[in-house]
Amino acid sequence: MVTQYVLSKVREAGERMSDDRIAKENLRRRFQQNQEDCTFTVLALLPTATENILEASPVENITHELQQKKAERLSKSKEASETAPSQQSSGPPSVTDDDGRSLASFQSESYVHASQMGSSSINGESAAERPRKSKAQLWNELKINSITRSFTLIYTLSLLTLLTRIQLNLLGRRNYLSSVVSLASHPPNESTISLENHDDDNVDQSYGNDFETNRRYLTFSWWLLHRGWKEIMKKVETAVTESFGPLNPREDITLERLSELTLEVRKKIEGATEEERRTSKWLPYLLPPREEEDFVLQESGMSTSPPPTEQSQPSLTTTPSDPSPTPLRRLLDETSDLIDSPPFTHVLTKLLDAGFSILIDQKTATQAFKIPAPPTTTETHPPTPRIQEILPGSPDDGRDTATAKTKTKVANILAVMTRQAHSIGNGMPNEYLQAMETVRDLEGFAAIVYSSNFEFEAPSSGRGSSSAATTGDASRSNSGKVEEAPAAQALKGEAEAEVKVEAEVVDEVEEVIGGEASLVQGADNGFENVWGKVRAAGGDVDDGRGPMTG
């Protein structure tokens, strides 16, 4: 009997280990699939913002006007040469040649947006009504618009990447928790008939894992795609005008000087010091204020009801029968908390470093300055972005001082940026997005969002927003276990069992995802402390100062 007892225990332990291994592998697969979904979602949404940004900065239209001026000038010059052959060489050929070469680079290699082709004819018809601009004014507009829209697209792509990671990982976390609780409530050997359940005890409804809530929540990316980018562009245009305004399109510029001006623009937008960057507020660009949330749902087709009046409560905040926050409200509140957290700005800085490095150090350097691309390392260890270093000849610089001093016309840089704006927004494959996804901190950020705050998903009444829950409703002990929150003490029967399952899920997720997320265990007070422990324990995680040292 003793032998049989021991053998049964060994068998049970083996089965338990096998089940755990399968469950962990499934969880890891879920997480990786979630990140791939984020990539496809960004690629699907980005063209909408790109369309709006390209229409707002009609670089191709300005180029067309300059080409018309050139054609008129050549026509007059030809007529003058026919009437006065002896004066053919009286004009300054250098200016004409420079303009011709600069415009040729735009004409031969720049893309023309379809919507701008239509607007060009419209503008041409009303050209007599509009005041004619001088060539200098057109070149200045071309300079500001081409730089502004390429920079705006990099900021928009970075913000959209982070917003999508937050949204899909929050939903992935809720879906996983819902499935675990559902399996725990219904053992595999239990024979049941599944019926659609809309009652309060429905696990999916309780955890917000219903299709309509998820769909409405994902719709809030509409704000960045249709409103937020406008405010970003205003900020970028102001900074570009201040930094690049004095440049003459005909003058020569070095790659070093271009990097300095780009960094100057970034400091004006993101903050010149570590403290300014840490406290930067990106939330207004990503999510609407509460009074406009129903407007976003209406514009995106998620709601057909009229916007609520000041006396009425917004429909997505509470329900008439239940004063507690709805699942959608909790999702939006937690998303806002994550966007306002210092880790968000830290990861955003890293994504911007990667994007600007592709634009300046690779595309502009090779196409405008004709500098050979530096040798790349393996795919798993991409080269370190150089845009943040500025100073050439440093140990990490792949080009020597003489190469960095190579000069080119500003007009050549503008032509490259005009083309790259289309690559940033519509490139397939998108090199800029690929570069951003190699940033190690991005996956660490996603893993922590996916694996933290499981305890705040428990269904309860009167818990308040997720913000309040994050700061006070629950905490972790030194062992990393989830302590029962005050609100959870009111749960009875099956709800108490669900809270116990949640604690087990937290430990399982923290153990499985690995990397930065594996360091979540032992955190004390919510997301920011988790991120702090991650960065303190990770040997190769950056120090948080970012590349733009003030």
Coordinates of all heavy atoms in Angstrom, one line a residue, residues 40-121:
F40 N 0.1 44.1 -36.7 CA -0.9 44.2 -37.8 C -1.9 45.3 -37.6 O -2.3 45.9 -38.6 CB -1.6 42.8 -38.0 CG -0.6 41.7 -38.5 CD1 -0.5 40.6 -37.7 CD2 0.0 41.8 -39.7 CE1 0.4 39.6 -38.2 CE2 0.9 40.9 -40.1 CZ 1.0 39.7 -39.4
T41 N -2.2 45.5 -36.4 CA -3.2 46.6 -36.1 C -2.6 47.9 -36.4 O -3.3 48.8 -37.0 CB -3.6 46.5 -34.6 OG1 -4.2 45.2 -34.3 CG2 -4.6 47.6 -34.3
V42 N -1.4 48.2 -36.0 CA -0.7 49.4 -36.4 C -0.6 49.6 -37.9 O -0.9 50.7 -38.4 CB 0.7 49.5 -35.7 CG1 1.5 50.7 -36.2 CG2 0.6 49.5 -34.2
L43 N -0.3 48.6 -38.6 CA -0.2 48.7 -40.1 C -1.6 49.0 -40.7 O -1.6 49.6 -41.7 CB 0.4 47.4 -40.6 CG 1.9 47.2 -40.4 CD1 2.3 45.8 -40.9 CD2 2.7 48.3 -41.0
A44 N -2.6 48.5 -40.0 CA -4.0 48.7 -40.6 C -4.5 50.2 -40.3 O -5.2 50.7 -41.1 CB -4.9 47.7 -40.0
L45 N -4.1 50.7 -39.1 CA -4.6 52.0 -38.7 C -3.7 53.2 -39.3 O -4.2 54.3 -39.5 CB -4.6 52.1 -37.2 CG -5.6 51.2 -36.5 CD1 -5.4 51.3 -35.0 CD2 -7.0 51.4 -36.9
L46 N -2.4 52.9 -39.4 CA -1.5 54.0 -39.8 C -1.9 54.7 -41.1 O -1.7 56.0 -41.2 CB -0.1 53.5 -39.9 CG 1.0 54.5 -40.2 CD1 1.1 55.5 -39.1 CD2 2.4 53.7 -40.3
P47 N -2.3 54.1 -42.2 CA -2.7 54.8 -43.4 C -3.7 55.9 -43.2 O -3.7 56.9 -43.9 CB -3.2 53.7 -44.3 CG -2.5 52.5 -43.9 CD -2.4 52.6 -42.4
T48 N -4.6 55.7 -42.2 CA -5.6 56.7 -41.9 C -5.0 58.0 -41.5 O -5.3 59.1 -42.0 CB -6.6 56.3 -40.9 OG1 -7.3 55.1 -41.3 CG2 -7.7 57.3 -40.6
A49 N -4.1 57.9 -40.5 CA -3.4 59.1 -40.1 C -2.5 59.7 -41.2 O -2.3 60.9 -41.3 CB -2.5 58.8 -38.8
T50 N -1.8 58.8 -41.9 CA -0.9 59.3 -43.0 C -1.7 60.1 -44.0 O -1.2 61.1 -44.5 CB -0.3 58.0 -43.7 OG1 0.4 57.3 -42.7 CG2 0.7 58.5 -44.8
E51 N -2.9 59.6 -44.4 CA -3.7 60.3 -45.4 C -4.0 61.7 -44.9 O -3.9 62.7 -45.6 CB -5.0 59.6 -45.5 CG -6.0 60.2 -46.5 CD -5.8 59.7 -47.9 OE1 -5.1 58.7 -48.1 OE2 -6.4 60.3 -48.8
N52 N -4.4 61.9 -43.6 CA -4.7 63.2 -43.1 C -3.5 64.1 -43.0 O -3.5 65.3 -43.3 CB -5.3 63.0 -41.7 CG -6.6 62.3 -41.7 OD1 -7.4 62.4 -42.6 ND2 -6.9 61.6 -40.6
I53 N -2.3 63.5 -42.6 CA -1.1 64.3 -42.5 C -0.6 64.8 -43.8 O -0.1 65.9 -44.0 CB 0.0 63.5 -41.7 CG1 -0.5 63.3 -40.3 CG2 1.3 64.2 -41.8 CD1 0.4 62.4 -39.5
L54 N -0.6 63.9 -44.8 CA -0.2 64.3 -46.2 C -1.1 65.4 -46.8 O -0.6 66.3 -47.5 CB -0.1 63.1 -47.1 CG 0.9 62.0 -46.8 CD1 0.8 60.8 -47.8 CD2 2.3 62.5 -46.7
E55 N -2.3 65.3 -46.5 CA -3.2 66.3 -47.0 C -3.0 67.7 -46.3 O -3.2 68.7 -46.9 CB -4.7 65.9 -46.8 CG -5.1 64.8 -47.8 CD -6.6 64.4 -47.5 OE1 -7.2 65.0 -46.7 OE2 -7.1 63.4 -48.2
A56 N -2.6 67.6 -45.1 CA -2.4 68.9 -44.3 C -1.1 69.5 -44.7 O -0.9 70.7 -44.5 CB -2.4 68.6 -42.8
S57 N -0.2 68.8 -45.3 CA 1.1 69.3 -45.7 C 1.4 69.1 -47.2 O 2.0 68.1 -47.5 CB 2.3 68.7 -44.9 OG 2.1 69.0 -43.5
P58 N 0.8 69.9 -48.0 CA 0.8 69.7 -49.5 C 2.2 70.0 -50.1 O 2.3 70.9 -50.8 CB -0.3 70.6 -50.0 CG -0.3 71.7 -49.0 CD 0.1 71.2 -47.7
V59 N 3.2 69.2 -49.7 CA 4.5 69.5 -50.2 C 4.6 69.4 -51.8 O 5.2 70.2 -52.5 CB 5.5 68.5 -49.6 CG1 6.9 68.7 -50.2 CG2 5.6 68.7 -48.1
E60 N 3.9 68.4 -52.3 CA 3.8 68.2 -53.7 C 3.2 69.4 -54.5 O 3.6 69.7 -55.6 CB 3.1 66.9 -54.1 CG 3.8 65.6 -53.7 CD 3.8 65.3 -52.3 OE1 3.0 65.9 -51.5 OE2 4.5 64.4 -51.8
N61 N 2.2 70.0 -53.9 CA 1.6 71.2 -54.5 C 2.6 72.3 -54.6 O 2.7 73.1 -55.5 CB 0.4 71.6 -53.7 CG -0.8 70.6 -53.9 OD1 -0.7 69.7 -54.7 ND2 -1.8 70.8 -53.0
I62 N 3.4 72.5 -53.5 CA 4.4 73.6 -53.5 C 5.4 73.3 -54.5 O 5.9 74.2 -55.2 CB 5.0 73.7 -52.1 CG1 3.9 74.0 -51.0 CG2 6.0 74.8 -52.0 CD1 4.4 74.0 -49.6
T63 N 5.8 72.0 -54.6 CA 6.8 71.7 -55.6 C 6.3 72.0 -57.0 O 7.0 72.5 -57.9 CB 7.2 70.2 -55.5 OG1 7.6 69.9 -54.2 CG2 8.2 69.8 -56.5
H64 N 5.0 71.7 -57.2 CA 4.4 72.0 -58.5 C 4.4 73.5 -58.8 O 4.7 73.9 -60.0 CB 3.0 71.5 -58.5 CG 2.2 71.7 -59.8 ND1 2.5 71.0 -61.0 CD2 1.2 72.5 -60.1 CE1 1.7 71.4 -61.9 NE2 0.9 72.3 -61.4
E65 N 4.2 74.3 -57.9 CA 4.2 75.8 -58.1 C 5.6 76.2 -58.4 O 5.8 77.1 -59.3 CB 3.7 76.5 -56.8 CG 2.2 76.4 -56.6 CD 1.7 77.4 -55.5 OE1 2.1 78.6 -55.6 OE2 1.1 76.9 -54.6
L66 N 6.6 75.6 -57.7 CA 8.0 76.0 -58.0 C 8.4 75.6 -59.5 O 9.1 76.3 -60.2 CB 8.9 75.4 -57.0 CG 9.0 76.0 -55.6 CD1 9.8 75.1 -54.7 CD2 9.7 77.4 -55.8
Q67 N 7.9 74.4 -59.9 CA 8.2 74.0 -61.2 C 7.5 74.8 -62.3 O 8.1 75.1 -63.3 CB 7.7 72.5 -61.4 CG 8.6 71.5 -60.6 CD 8.0 70.1 -60.5 OE1 6.8 70.0 -60.9 NE2 8.7 69.2 -60.0
Q68 N 6.4 75.3 -61.9 CA 5.7 76.3 -62.9 C 6.5 77.6 -63.0 O 6.6 78.1 -64.1 CB 4.3 76.6 -62.4 CG 3.3 75.4 -62.6 CD 1.9 75.8 -62.2 OE1 1.7 76.5 -61.2 NE2 0.9 75.3 -62.9
K69 N 7.0 78.1 -61.9 CA 7.8 79.3 -61.9 C 9.1 79.1 -62.7 O 9.5 79.9 -63.5 CB 8.1 79.7 -60.5 CG 7.0 80.4 -59.7 CD 7.5 80.9 -58.4 CE 6.4 81.8 -57.7 NZ 6.1 83.0 -58.5
K70 N 9.6 77.9 -62.5 CA 10.8 77.6 -63.3 C 10.5 77.5 -64.8 O 11.3 78.1 -65.6 CB 11.4 76.2 -62.9 CG 12.6 75.8 -63.7 CD 13.1 74.4 -63.3 CE 14.2 73.9 -64.2 NZ 14.5 72.5 -64.0
A71 N 9.4 76.9 -65.2 CA 9.0 76.8 -66.6 C 8.7 78.2 -67.1 O 9.2 78.5 -68.3 CB 7.8 76.0 -66.7
E72 N 8.1 79.1 -66.4 CA 7.9 80.5 -66.8 C 9.2 81.2 -67.0 O 9.3 82.0 -68.0 CB 7.0 81.2 -65.8 CG 5.5 80.7 -65.7 CD 4.8 81.3 -64.6 OE1 5.3 82.2 -63.9 OE2 3.6 81.0 -64.4
R73 N 10.1 81.0 -66.1 CA 11.4 81.7 -66.2 C 12.2 81.2 -67.4 O 12.8 82.0 -68.1 CB 12.2 81.5 -64.9 CG 13.5 82.3 -64.8 CD 14.1 82.2 -63.4 NE 14.5 80.8 -63.1 CZ 13.8 80.0 -62.2 NH1 12.8 80.5 -61.6 NH2 14.2 78.8 -61.9
L74 N 12.1 79.9 -67.6 CA 12.8 79.4 -68.8 C 12.2 79.9 -70.1 O 12.9 80.2 -71.1 CB 12.8 77.9 -68.8 CG 13.7 77.2 -67.7 CD1 13.5 75.7 -67.7 CD2 15.1 77.6 -67.9
S75 N 10.9 80.0 -70.1 CA 10.2 80.5 -71.3 C 10.6 81.9 -71.6 O 10.9 82.3 -72.7 CB 8.7 80.4 -71.1 OG 8.0 80.9 -72.2
K76 N 10.6 82.8 -70.5 CA 11.0 84.2 -70.7 C 12.4 84.3 -71.1 O 12.8 85.1 -72.0 CB 10.7 84.9 -69.4 CG 9.3 85.1 -69.1 CD 9.1 85.9 -67.7 CE 7.7 86.0 -67.4 NZ 7.5 86.7 -66.1
S77 N 13.3 83.4 -70.6 CA 14.7 83.4 -70.9 C 14.9 83.0 -72.4 O 15.7 83.6 -73.1 CB 15.5 82.5 -70.0 OG 16.8 82.4 -70.4
K78 N 14.1 82.1 -72.8 CA 14.2 81.6 -74.2 C 13.8 82.8 -75.2 O 14.4 83.0 -76.2 CB 13.3 80.4 -74.4 CG 13.5 79.8 -75.8 CD 12.6 78.6 -76.0 CE 12.7 78.0 -77.4 NZ 11.9 76.7 -77.5
E79 N 12.7 83.5 -74.8 CA 12.2 84.6 -75.7 C 13.3 85.7 -75.7 O 13.6 86.3 -76.7 CB 10.9 85.1 -75.1 CG 9.7 84.1 -75.3 CD 8.5 84.7 -74.6 OE1 8.5 85.8 -74.1 OE2 7.4 84.0 -74.7
A80 N 13.9 85.9 -74.5 CA 14.9 87.0 -74.5 C 16.1 86.6 -75.3 O 16.7 87.5 -75.9 CB 15.3 87.3 -73.0
S81 N 16.5 85.3 -75.3 CA 17.7 84.9 -76.0 C 17.4 85.0 -77.5 O 18.4 85.2 -78.3 CB 18.0 83.5 -75.6 OG 17.0 82.6 -76.0
E82 N 16.2 84.8 -77.9 CA 15.9 84.9 -79.4 C 15.9 86.3 -79.8 O 16.4 86.6 -81.0 CB 14.5 84.3 -79.6 CG 14.5 82.7 -79.4 CD 13.1 82.2 -79.6 OE1 12.1 83.0 -79.8 OE2 12.9 81.0 -79.6
T83 N 15.5 87.2 -79.0 CA 15.5 88.6 -79.4 C 16.9 89.3 -79.2 O 17.3 90.2 -79.9 CB 14.5 89.4 -78.6 OG1 14.8 89.3 -77.2 CG2 13.1 88.9 -78.9
A84 N 17.7 88.8 -78.3 CA 19.0 89.3 -78.0 C 20.0 88.2 -77.8 O 20.3 87.9 -76.7 CB 19.0 90.3 -76.8
P85 N 20.5 87.6 -78.9 CA 21.4 86.5 -78.8 C 22.7 86.9 -78.1 O 23.3 86.1 -77.4 CB 21.7 86.1 -80.2 CG 20.6 86.7 -81.0 CD 20.2 87.9 -80.3
S86 N 23.1 88.1 -78.2 CA 24.4 88.6 -77.6 C 24.3 88.6 -76.1 O 25.3 88.7 -75.4 CB 24.8 89.9 -78.1 OG 23.8 90.9 -77.8
Q87 N 23.1 88.6 -75.5 CA 23.0 88.7 -74.0 C 22.6 87.4 -73.4 O 22.1 87.3 -72.3 CB 21.9 89.7 -73.7 CG 22.2 91.1 -74.3 CD 21.0 92.1 -74.0 OE1 20.0 91.7 -73.4 NE2 21.2 93.3 -74.4
Q88 N 22.9 86.3 -74.1 CA 22.5 84.9 -73.6 C 23.2 84.6 -72.2 O 22.7 84.0 -71.4 CB 22.9 83.9 -74.6 CG 21.9 83.8 -75.8 CD 22.3 82.7 -76.7 OE1 23.2 82.0 -76.5 NE2 21.5 82.6 -77.8
S89 N 24.5 85.1 -72.1 CA 25.2 84.7 -70.9 C 25.2 85.8 -69.9 O 26.1 85.8 -69.0 CB 26.7 84.4 -71.3 OG 27.2 85.5 -71.9
S90 N 24.3 86.8 -70.0 CA 24.3 87.9 -69.0 C 23.7 87.5 -67.7 O 24.0 88.1 -66.7 CB 23.6 89.1 -69.6 OG 22.2 88.7 -69.9
G91 N 22.8 86.5 -67.7 CA 22.2 86.1 -66.4 C 23.1 85.3 -65.5 O 24.1 84.7 -66.0
P92 N 22.8 85.2 -64.2 CA 23.6 84.4 -63.3 C 23.2 82.9 -63.5 O 22.2 82.5 -63.0 CB 23.2 84.9 -61.9 CG 21.8 85.5 -62.1 CD 21.8 86.0 -63.5
P93 N 24.1 82.1 -64.1 CA 23.7 80.7 -64.4 C 23.7 79.9 -63.1 O 23.1 78.9 -63.0 CB 24.8 80.3 -65.3 CG 26.0 81.2 -65.0 CD 25.4 82.5 -64.7
S94 N 24.5 80.3 -62.1 CA 24.6 79.4 -60.9 C 23.3 79.3 -60.2 O 22.9 78.2 -59.8 CB 25.6 80.0 -59.9 OG 25.3 81.3 -59.5
V95 N 22.5 80.4 -60.1 CA 21.3 80.3 -59.4 C 20.3 79.5 -60.2 O 19.6 78.6 -59.6 CB 20.7 81.8 -59.2 CG1 19.3 81.7 -58.6 CG2 21.6 82.6 -58.4
T96 N 20.2 79.6 -61.5 CA 19.3 78.8 -62.3 C 19.7 77.3 -62.2 O 18.8 76.5 -62.1 CB 19.3 79.3 -63.7 OG1 19.0 80.7 -63.8 CG2 18.4 78.5 -64.6
D97 N 21.0 77.1 -62.3 CA 21.4 75.7 -62.2 C 21.1 75.0 -60.9 O 20.6 73.9 -60.8 CB 22.9 75.6 -62.5 CG 23.3 76.0 -63.9 OD1 22.3 76.0 -64.7 OD2 24.4 76.2 -64.2
D98 N 21.3 75.8 -59.8 CA 21.0 75.3 -58.4 C 19.5 74.9 -58.3 O 19.1 73.9 -57.8 CB 21.4 76.3 -57.4 CG 22.9 76.2 -57.1 OD1 23.5 75.3 -57.6 OD2 23.4 77.2 -56.5
D99 N 18.6 75.9 -58.8 CA 17.2 75.7 -58.7 C 16.8 74.5 -59.5 O 16.0 73.6 -59.1 CB 16.4 76.9 -59.2 CG 16.5 78.0 -58.2 OD1 16.9 77.7 -57.0 OD2 16.2 79.2 -58.5
G100 N 17.4 74.3 -60.7 CA 17.0 73.2 -61.6 C 17.4 71.9 -61.0 O 16.6 70.9 -61.0
R101 N 18.6 71.8 -60.4 CA 19.0 70.5 -59.8 C 18.1 70.2 -58.6 O 17.8 69.1 -58.3 CB 20.5 70.6 -59.4 CG 21.4 70.5 -60.5 CD 22.8 70.2 -60.0 NE 23.4 71.4 -59.3 CZ 24.1 72.4 -59.9 NH1 24.3 72.3 -61.2 NH2 24.5 73.4 -59.2
S102 N 17.8 71.2 -57.7 CA 17.0 71.0 -56.5 C 15.6 70.5 -56.9 O 15.1 69.6 -56.3 CB 16.9 72.3 -55.7 OG 18.2 72.7 -55.3
L103 N 15.0 71.2 -57.9 CA 13.6 70.8 -58.3 C 13.7 69.4 -59.0 O 12.7 68.7 -58.9 CB 13.0 71.9 -59.2 CG 12.6 73.1 -58.5 CD1 12.1 74.2 -59.5 CD2 11.4 72.8 -57.6
A104 N 14.8 69.2 -59.7 CA 14.8 67.9 -60.4 C 14.8 66.7 -59.4 O 14.2 65.7 -59.6 CB 16.1 67.8 -61.2
S105 N 15.4 66.9 -58.2 CA 15.4 65.9 -57.2 C 14.0 65.6 -56.7 O 13.6 64.5 -56.4 CB 16.3 66.2 -56.0 OG 15.9 67.4 -55.4
F106 N 13.2 66.7 -56.6 CA 11.8 66.5 -56.1 C 11.0 65.9 -57.3 O 10.1 65.0 -57.0 CB 11.2 67.9 -55.8 CG 11.6 68.4 -54.4 CD1 12.7 69.2 -54.2 CD2 10.8 68.0 -53.3 CE1 13.0 69.6 -52.9 CE2 11.1 68.5 -52.0 CZ 12.3 69.3 -51.9
Q107 N 11.2 66.4 -58.5 CA 10.3 66.0 -59.6 C 10.6 64.5 -59.9 O 9.6 63.8 -60.2 CB 10.6 66.8 -60.8 CG 9.7 66.6 -62.0 CD 9.9 67.5 -63.1 OE1 11.0 68.2 -63.2 NE2 9.0 67.6 -64.1
S108 N 11.8 64.1 -59.9 CA 12.1 62.7 -60.4 C 11.9 61.7 -59.3 O 11.6 60.5 -59.6 CB 13.6 62.6 -60.8 OG 14.4 62.9 -59.7
E109 N 12.0 62.0 -58.0 CA 11.9 61.0 -57.0 C 10.8 61.2 -56.0 O 10.6 60.3 -55.2 CB 13.3 61.0 -56.3 CG 14.5 60.7 -57.2 CD 15.8 60.7 -56.4 OE1 15.8 60.3 -55.3 OE2 16.8 61.1 -57.0
S110 N 10.2 62.3 -56.0 CA 9.1 62.5 -55.0 C 7.8 61.9 -55.4 O 7.5 61.8 -56.6 CB 8.9 64.0 -54.8 OG 7.9 64.3 -53.8
Y111 N 7.0 61.5 -54.4 CA 5.7 60.9 -54.7 C 4.7 62.1 -54.7 O 4.8 63.0 -54.0 CB 5.3 59.9 -53.7 CG 6.3 58.7 -53.6 CD1 7.2 58.7 -52.5 CD2 6.2 57.7 -54.5 CE1 8.1 57.6 -52.4 CE2 7.1 56.6 -54.4 CZ 8.0 56.6 -53.4 OH 8.8 55.5 -53.3
V112 N 3.6 61.9 -55.5 CA 2.5 62.8 -55.5 C 1.3 62.1 -55.0 O 0.9 61.1 -55.5 CB 2.3 63.4 -56.9 CG1 1.1 64.4 -56.8 CG2 3.5 64.1 -57.4
H113 N 0.7 62.6 -53.9 CA -0.4 62.0 -53.3 C -1.6 62.1 -54.2 O -1.8 63.2 -54.8 CB -0.7 62.6 -51.9 CG -1.5 61.8 -51.0 ND1 -2.7 62.2 -50.6 CD2 -1.3 60.5 -50.5 CE1 -3.2 61.2 -49.8 NE2 -2.3 60.3 -49.7
A114 N -2.5 61.1 -54.2 CA -3.6 61.1 -55.1 C -4.5 62.3 -54.8 O -5.0 63.0 -55.7 CB -4.4 59.8 -55.0
S115 N -4.8 62.5 -53.5 CA -5.7 63.6 -53.1 C -5.1 64.9 -53.5 O -5.8 65.9 -53.8 CB -6.0 63.5 -51.6 OG -4.8 63.7 -50.9
Q116 N -3.8 65.0 -53.5 CA -3.1 66.3 -53.8 C -3.1 66.5 -55.3 O -3.0 67.7 -55.8 CB -1.7 66.3 -53.3 CG -1.7 66.3 -51.7 CD -0.3 66.1 -51.2 OE1 0.6 65.8 -51.9 NE2 -0.2 66.4 -49.9
M117 N -3.2 65.5 -56.1 CA -3.3 65.7 -57.6 C -4.6 66.4 -57.9 O -4.6 67.3 -58.7 CB -3.3 64.3 -58.3 CG -1.9 63.7 -58.3 SD -0.7 64.6 -59.3 CE -1.5 64.4 -60.9
G118 N -5.7 66.0 -57.2 CA -6.9 66.7 -57.4 C -6.9 68.1 -57.0 O -7.4 69.0 -57.6
S119 N -6.3 68.3 -55.8 CA -6.3 69.7 -55.2 C -5.4 70.6 -56.1 O -5.5 71.8 -56.1 CB -5.8 69.6 -53.8 OG -4.5 69.1 -53.7
S120 N -4.4 69.9 -56.8 CA -3.5 70.8 -57.6 C -4.2 71.5 -58.7 O -4.1 72.6 -59.0 CB -2.4 69.9 -58.2 OG -1.6 69.4 -57.2
S121 N -5.1 70.7 -59.3 CA -5.9 71.3 -60.4 C -6.9 72.4 -59.9 O -7.1 73.4 -60.5 CB -6.7 70.2 -61.2 OG -7.6 69.6 -60.3

